[in-house]
């Protein structure tokens, strides 16, 4: 996913609107799909502290920062392997160049997916990041299995015919098919409505989330939300497009609301004040701190 106004912190409740309150103490105490639960989604893993979409970033977010979800962006190699990478090209996050779709998995595995982070983030640079590999979806599931919650995005599905089928097969191969996981343990998101509808047609058991750019959420109509409700359990809009008013319109329909990418505490507090049910963040520890502090108020 792509990545000030005053903040009003309410006493006792994070948000009080026409659709009810979301209490900070609800974090972690309800089912993952419970609209009263606030979830912490590690955007590309702990990508503020480690190279995004590497096993190191996932391990940090899962074990140390205590995020509720590992977020995984999918691309597909020339030989049909699903890998964790945000961009359609390897240029930004590796020492290689070119499109993922034009490279085999073996070629992708030879790339250095960590050194770029040290250059871009000297305050968090670590020698061990040099030479990190791009993980496959299989490797991520081999590592965590049913001991993690996954928020998976079909990136550019129009570029990768068969991506949805491959994703569902991989989930099934690892015992993560919809009938074998707890509700919300595997969330599937996309900017592509067509991709989400395809997933739903193939396996209607997975909860789906419609991603949105800021401009799209700003122009949302009740009719558009009614359509989204027919296939998705929630929205994942850019937080920059959310207002108190459109947040209320979304939440009144019972839809989950997980904006991206919320990295500053002032924005986290504002989103919670509006009534969102979770956020995507590069800094899962910051969001946990905000939840903890608001719970004490």
């Amino acid at each position: 996913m792509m990545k000030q106004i005053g903040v009003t912190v309410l006493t006792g409740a994070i948000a009080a609107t026409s659709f009810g309150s979301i209490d900070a103490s609800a974090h972690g105490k309800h089912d993952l799909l419970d609209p009263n639960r606030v979830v912490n989604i590690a955007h590309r893993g702990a990508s503020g502290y480690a190279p995004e979409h590497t096993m190191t970033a996932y391990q940090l977010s899962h074990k140390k920062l205590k995020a509720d979800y590992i977020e995984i962006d999918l691309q597909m190699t020339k030989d049909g392997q699903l890998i964790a990478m945000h961009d359609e090209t390897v240029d930004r996050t590796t020492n290689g160049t070119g499109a993922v779709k034009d490279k085999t998995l073996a070629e992708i595995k030879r790339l250095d997916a960590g050194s770029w982070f040290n250059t871009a983030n000297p305050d968090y640079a670590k020698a061990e990041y040099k030479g990190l590999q791009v993980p496959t979806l299989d490797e991520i599931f081999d590592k965590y299995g049913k001991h993690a919650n996954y928020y998976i995005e079909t990136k550019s599905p129009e570029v990768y015919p068969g991506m949805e089928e491959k994703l569902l097969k991989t989930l099934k191969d690892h015992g993560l098919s919809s009938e074998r996981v707890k509700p919300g343990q595997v969330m599937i998101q996309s900017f592509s409505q067509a991709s989400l509808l395809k997933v739903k047609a193939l396996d209607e058991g997975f909860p789906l989330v419609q991603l949105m750019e800021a401009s799209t959420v700003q122009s949302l109509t009740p009719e558009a939300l009614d359509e989204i409700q027919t296939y998705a359990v929630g929205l994942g809009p850019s937080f920059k497009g959310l207002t108190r008013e459109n947040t209320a319109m979304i939440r009144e329909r019972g839809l989950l609301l997980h904006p991206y990418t919320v990295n500053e505490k002032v924005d986290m507090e504002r989103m919670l004040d509006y009534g969102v049910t979770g956020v995507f963040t590069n800094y899962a520890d910051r969001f946990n701190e905000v939840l903890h502090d608001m719970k004490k108020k």
Side-chain angles (χ1 to χ4, degrees), residues 219 245 267 294:
S219 60
E245 290 72 28
D267 294 318
M294 297 182 84

Side-chain angles (χ1 to χ4, degrees), residues 8 34 61 87 97 104 123 130 133 164-165 174 192 251 263:
T8 303
D34 189 323
S61 67
D87 300 357
T97 59
T104 64
D123 289 346
K130 182 178 180 180
Q133 290 187 326
E164 294 85 0
E165 289 90 343
H174 289 269
S192 169
R251 294 287 293 114
N263 289 330

Side-chain angles (χ1 to χ4, degrees), residues 18-256:
S18 58
F19 50 82
S21 299
I22 298 176
D23 196 313
S25 63
H27 176 58
K29 293 186 177 181
H30 298 274
D31 292 341
L32 290 163
L33 295 178
D34 189 323
N36 293 309
R37 175 169 178 165
V38 179
V39 294
N40 187 341
I41 306 156
H43 183 240
R44 311 180 195 177
S47 56
Y49 301 111
E52 65 182 65
H53 290 317
T54 62
M55 296 302 290
T56 300
Y58 296 143
Q59 185 71 357
L60 180 58
S61 67
H62 182 62
K63 289 295 186 181
K64 185 175 181 180
L65 306 188
K66 305 299 183 184
D68 292 305
Y69 282 96
I70 294 171
E71 193 226 7
I72 307 167
D73 293 319
L74 294 182
Q75 306 285 342
M76 195 157 71
T77 64
K78 184 178 181 179
D79 48 348
Q81 300 300 304
L82 294 176
I83 63 168
M85 184 172 285
H86 179 272
D87 300 357
E88 290 178 43
T89 68
V90 301
D91 299 51
R92 182 177 63 85
T93 57
T94 78
N95 61 339
T97 59
V100 173
K101 68 180 180 63
D102 295 330
K103 296 184 182 298
T104 64
L105 179 59
E107 291 171 324
I108 294 285
K109 281 295 185 181
R110 288 196 287 269
L111 299 176
D112 177 347
S115 292
W116 72 273
F117 179 88
N118 288 344
T119 301
N121 303 276
D123 289 346
Y124 297 111
K126 292 186 178 181
E128 58 263 35
Y129 292 167
K130 182 178 180 180
L132 289 179
Q133 290 187 326
V134 175
T136 65
L137 188 61
D138 278 311
E139 288 169 338
I140 298 167
F141 290 161
D142 282 340
K143 172 73 174 178
Y144 297 109
K146 291 187 177 180
H147 300 292
N149 303 318
Y150 306 99
Y151 218 120
I152 304 171
E153 180 178 352
T154 57
K155 297 288 293 185
S156 307
E158 66 282 355
V159 176
Y160 307 110
M163 170 179 271
E164 294 85 0
E165 289 90 343
K166 183 72 174 181
L167 168 58
L168 294 175
K169 182 180 185 304
T170 305
L171 285 162
K172 184 176 181 180
D173 289 346
H174 289 269
L176 296 168
S177 53
S178 61
E179 72 276 6
R180 298 188 66 182
V181 295
K182 62 189 177 185
Q185 185 170 8
V186 177
M187 304 283 281
I188 298 177
Q189 60 177 337
S190 188
F191 283 97
S192 169
Q193 182 189 57
S195 183
L196 293 177
L197 290 173
K198 186 174 183 181
V199 170
K200 186 175 179 65
L202 293 167
D203 186 337
E204 62 181 11
F206 285 111
L208 308 177
V209 172
Q210 180 67 62
L211 295 173
M212 286 187 176
E213 301 284 359
S215 58
T216 306
V217 72
Q218 286 170 339
S219 60
L220 264 181
T221 63
E223 292 74 22
L225 283 172
D226 290 343
E227 181 181 2
I228 290 167
Q229 271 190 291
T230 65
Y231 64 88
V233 301
L235 268 67
S238 167
F239 85 96
K240 296 176 183 178
L242 284 179
T243 63
R244 191 177 302 279
E245 290 72 28
N246 60 21
T247 295
M249 183 170 66
I250 294 164
R251 294 287 293 114
E252 281 167 355
R253 285 164 170 76
L255 289 165
L256 301 177

